[in-house]
Amino acid sequence: MVSFATRFLTSPFTNRALGAGDRGILSVVGNVTGLFSVLLSPNVPASYYRTLPERRYSPQEYAGNSILLGAVSGAIILLAFFLSYPLFRDSIYRNTAYSYFLLSFLAVPLLLIRNYLHALFQGLGRMGEYNAIVRNEALIGFLFTVSLLLAGMFTVRTALLAGIGIALFSLANTVWYLGRHVPAPWRLSWPLLSTSLRDVSNVHIAGVATFITLKIDVLILNYYVSPALVGCYFVAVSIAEVLFLVPFGTQAVLYSRVARETSEKAAAEVSVRAGRNTFYLTIAGALVFAASGKLLVLIVGGRDYRAAVAPLVTLLPGIVFQCLAMTLTPLCARKGMYRTMSLTAVSVAIGNLLLNVLFIPRWGITGAAVATTLSYALNAAVWIILLRAHLPAGPWAMFRLERSDMQYYRKLLDEFRGKA
């Protein structure tokens, strides 16, 4: 949440410093890097959440495997980008300098190792340290951004260089915190590696498909519209996704809570209660954002980004539906529904891709927003239907508020802050 907040606070200044064109270029660079990372790095945290409660492997083994997998995956991703650039120079890489992509990809190995190690704090129930790492990373990013802005040096290149520095700091910070609770030596475990990769083989397609649903629109837009319009769409998405603060905060705690519940029924009840409260909180936020859309775009981007208003309003209903799917994800991981997750995500991603190809040539950035909202709604509906047999009071419990919810959320907030 701190990371979102600091980015949102600086975005009015960074958007103006870059202008709509350079903001669009930076968005494309980030999405290309993200696409390769999702395609070629195993989602081992999903396996960790399943195996950690079994206590078959030591924390030292999880830490050692995380470093190995992050380093190897990062090297593969870098090589894949080098090989792909000549092929896609004039399509998804168009309008963007090679050096920008290179700077972005150099941070990938550092971020992968950091992400894998960071996931251990959730599985171990160390939410205080988990949040401290995120908070420290956000604050360092904030300081870098403010320093560059004050010096009049915030450009695409310096932003990417700052990203490498932030990745180095965050990895070091994560290693330091983890070393306090998981003493050396950290070591490799081939049985754990085999188990993790087997789990990943079932869930990896889901991660790729989810990324396509979330981010492929920017790469398609980069082919059809100018970088300035891509920048406007980025501003619309960045404002709308502030509402994800609610489900992201809930989800961070749920992975730990759901993994530690002793019964399947209790785990499902926790997920349902969190899901319905998150749903209504997000609706309230979406109504506020819709009413103040023009003002928000003016504040966050300025007059150059006026085209962002229509896609912003169009995205809001989809954000509300997506929050339901996000709060159900920890329950799916607890039940090991990796293959179902993959099949669902692939179906939604295919639908999203088709909608983007159909709507973007006709309606530009507003068409991309329509495709995203329809895909989010479909995703939420599918997951509620699939999990209806596992929800104690049926799928309608996701929408039926109860008196006990407020007391529960006070406890959840305390745990998220590391006080429980």
Side-chain angles (χ1 to χ4, degrees):
M1 295 177 75
V2 176
S3 179
F4 263 106
T6 54
R7 270 187 244 161
F8 193 72
L9 285 173
T10 56
S11 59
F13 307 101
T14 58
N15 290 334
R16 286 170 171 80
L18 291 171
D22 279 353
R23 171 50 78 188
I25 289 173
L26 192 58
S27 177
V28 170
V29 170
N31 280 15
V32 169
T33 307
L35 177 60
F36 274 85
S37 298
V38 171
L39 282 172
L40 300 174
S41 63
N43 184 14
V44 291
S47 178
Y48 290 175
Y49 300 138
R50 185 186 70 81
T51 58
L52 272 165
E54 300 172 357
R55 304 188 186 281
R56 284 189 293 163
Y57 308 102
S58 68
Q60 286 82 359
E61 290 173 307
Y62 283 100
N65 281 23
S66 295
I67 294 172
L68 172 68
L69 287 167
V72 172
S73 299
I76 292 173
I77 289 167
L78 281 168
L79 177 62
F81 166 70
F82 292 143
L83 296 176
S84 73
Y85 187 80
L87 299 174
F88 300 108
R89 186 200 315 261
D90 299 321
S91 53
I92 63 173
Y93 298 156
R94 67 193 293 264
N95 302 320
T96 307
Y98 173 81
S99 60
Y100 293 162
F101 288 116
L102 182 59
L103 289 173
S104 183
F105 275 94
L106 287 175
V108 169
L110 304 171
L111 291 172
L112 285 177
I113 298 173
R114 177 263 189 203
N115 290 345
Y116 293 167
L117 292 174
H118 191 218
L120 295 180
F121 290 94
Q122 281 181 304
L124 296 171
R126 296 280 181 179
M127 293 306 299
E129 289 89 343
Y130 177 91
N131 291 320
I133 292 168
V134 175
R135 182 172 61 248
N136 292 343
E137 179 182 318
L139 291 175
I140 286 296
F142 180 77
L143 290 175
F144 275 24
T145 301
V146 170
S147 299
L148 290 172
L149 287 168
L150 291 176
M153 297 173 59
F154 193 89
T155 63
V156 174
R157 189 175 303 278
T158 57
L160 294 171
L161 287 169
I164 297 174
I166 294 166
L168 279 168
F169 168 83
S170 187
L171 175 57
N173 192 229
T174 304
V175 169
W176 182 79
Y177 271 108
L178 191 60
R180 296 169 60 187
H181 301 290
V182 183
W186 296 350
R187 59 185 181 274
L188 298 178
S189 169
W190 299 113
L192 173 60
L193 180 63
S194 176
T195 299
S196 298
L197 293 179
R198 186 168 60 250
D199 285 343
V200 165
S201 67
N202 291 322
V203 76
H204 184 69
I205 296 175
V208 174
T210 300
F211 181 89
I212 290 173
T213 301
L214 293 172
K215 301 296 184 181
I216 200 65
D217 48 5
V218 169
L219 301 183
I220 297 174
L221 281 169
N222 190 48
Y223 183 80
Y224 282 103
V225 304
S226 67
L229 283 175
V230 176
C232 290
Y233 186 68
F234 171 87
V235 167
V237 172
S238 64
I239 295 172
E241 290 187 348
V242 170
L243 293 175
F244 279 150
L245 284 172
V246 181
F248 272 143
T250 304
Q251 190 186 64
V253 177
L254 278 178
Y255 271 115
S256 178
R257 285 290 299 274
V258 169
R260 289 184 286 116
E261 289 292 347
T262 57
S263 71
E264 297 295 330
K265 181 180 179 181
E269 288 176 345
V270 167
S271 298
V272 169
R273 186 183 293 116
R276 65 170 172 259
N277 282 270
T278 301
F279 178 70
Y280 286 110
L281 287 172
T282 311
I283 286 178
L287 291 173
V288 173
F289 277 33
S292 56
K294 290 183 180 179
L295 178 61
L296 287 173
V297 169
L298 185 63
I299 293 172
V300 174
R303 296 185 181 277
D304 290 346
Y305 296 86
R306 283 175 293 185
V309 176
L312 167 60
V313 175
T314 306
L315 284 166
L316 293 174
I319 298 290
V320 172
F321 286 113
Q322 182 67 3
C323 78
L324 285 174
M326 291 173 65
T327 52
L328 289 173
T329 300
L331 181 61
C332 300
R334 158 77 183 238
K335 293 181 176 297
M337 299 172 63
Y338 300 131
R339 189 161 298 175
T340 302
M341 292 169 68
S342 294
L343 291 173
T344 302
V346 168
S347 301
V348 174
I350 291 173
N352 176 261
L353 185 61
L354 293 174
L355 290 171
N356 275 301
V357 171
L358 178 64
F359 293 156
I360 286 177
R362 296 184 180 185
W363 303 323
I365 58 177
T366 301
V370 171
T372 298
T373 286
L374 292 176
S375 300
Y376 283 168
L378 174 63
N379 191 41
V382 169
W383 273 114
I384 291 174
I385 293 170
L386 288 174
L387 285 169
R388 66 187 185 279
H390 303 284
L391 303 179
W396 290 112
M398 295 291 297
F399 308 97
R400 188 171 55 245
L401 289 171
E402 298 178 3
R403 290 185 178 181
S404 60
D405 289 343
M406 293 309 298
Q407 181 181 1
Y408 164 79
Y409 255 79
R410 283 195 293 268
K411 292 179 180 179
L412 196 67
L413 180 61
D414 286 341
E415 183 170 347
F416 181 76
R417 296 166 60 188
K419 292 184 177 182

